[in-house]
Amino acid sequence: MTAPLEMTERILWSLRKISRAIHLHSRALMLQCGLTGPQLIVLRQLNRDGQVPIGCLARSVSLSQATVTGIVERLANRGYVERTRDPIDRRRMLVRCTAAGRNTAEVAPPLLQERFTEQLGKLEDWEQHMLLSTLLRVGSMMQADRVDEQVIAAALGTPDDPLPDVLEAPLAVGLEEPLEIDAADTT
């Protein structure tokens, strides 16, 4: 039987490995198409949905509205999306892909979760349920549902700014190699 500390170390090592894979994939996306994972997720969702309000887009991609607003701002600055006011409710902003955005969404490499989803679909139902149960427990143990954007933003020294895209991915805990996040990673 494995000693408790050794088991804990193996579990933490596995979490670090997952976090590292997410980080490396995000870096590869930046090099290949100049977009972060969350930016590409938003762009692909817009490509599928057409013109939608930012709030609906945020719900579709499971990111906060503040984060999606920041992502849309960066995508608009690069000419991938355009924003317009809703003609019926002028308070609401609508967003849609430009031709350049549609092209980028279609030719960009697959997202990490697309490959994961494909592999997950090959598992038996009981294996999928077991994974879900385990991940829900891990998230609960890490108090992932209590992570508050304002707390993280305050820790970063920018309490009024939305979080960088990178922070919407699972946070790394105790990596052997520190993650070096520069401006290219977050825009």
Side-chain angles (χ1 to χ4, degrees), residues 121-146:
K122 294 177 182 178
L123 296 178
E124 298 290 330
D125 284 346
W126 69 268
E127 290 175 296
Q128 291 182 27
H129 287 286
M130 190 170 69
L131 273 173
L132 175 60
S133 176
T134 301
L135 291 172
L136 288 171
R137 176 64 64 105
V138 168
S140 173
M141 292 167 64
M142 296 177 83
Q143 299 182 334
D145 59 336
R146 295 184 184 181

Side-chain angles (χ1 to χ4, degrees), residues 159-180:
D160 298 325
D161 293 339
L163 287 177
D165 303 345
V166 172
L167 293 180
E168 286 294 337
L171 296 174
V173 180
L175 289 170
E176 286 88 9
E177 296 179 44
L179 292 180
E180 294 179 14

Side-chain angles (χ1 to χ4, degrees), residues 20-21 26 59 78 100 167:
R20 186 79 175 144
S26 185
R59 284 188 295 281
R78 296 182 62 191
L167 293 180

Side-chain angles (χ1 to χ4, degrees), residues 47-152:
N47 194 37
R48 283 190 292 275
D49 292 349
Q51 183 168 287
V52 295
I54 289 181
C56 292
L57 177 60
R59 284 188 295 281
S60 294
V61 297
S62 299
L63 295 174
S64 72
Q65 187 162 341
T67 298
V68 170
T69 298
I71 291 171
V72 166
E73 176 74 23
R74 289 185 285 285
L75 292 173
N77 290 342
R78 296 182 62 191
Y80 292 138
V81 301
E82 56 189 13
R83 296 166 291 183
T84 57
R85 291 269 174 212
D86 185 331
I88 297 168
D89 182 353
R90 303 288 298 160
R91 297 170 296 173
R92 201 162 71 155
M93 186 65 68
L94 302 174
V95 61
R96 68 174 174 222
C97 278
T98 62
R102 283 189 297 276
N103 183 55
T104 300
E106 291 167 5
V107 300
L111 292 162
L112 186 62
Q113 62 260 31
E114 291 170 352
R115 286 186 264 173
F116 177 79
T117 301
E118 181 183 323
Q119 295 297 312
L120 185 64
K122 294 177 182 178
L123 296 178
E124 298 290 330
D125 284 346
W126 69 268
E127 290 175 296
Q128 291 182 27
H129 287 286
M130 190 170 69
L131 273 173
L132 175 60
S133 176
T134 301
L135 291 172
L136 288 171
R137 176 64 64 105
V138 168
S140 173
M141 292 167 64
M142 296 177 83
Q143 299 182 334
D145 59 336
R146 295 184 184 181
V147 174
D148 184 87
E149 286 189 10
Q150 293 172 342
V151 172
I152 295 172

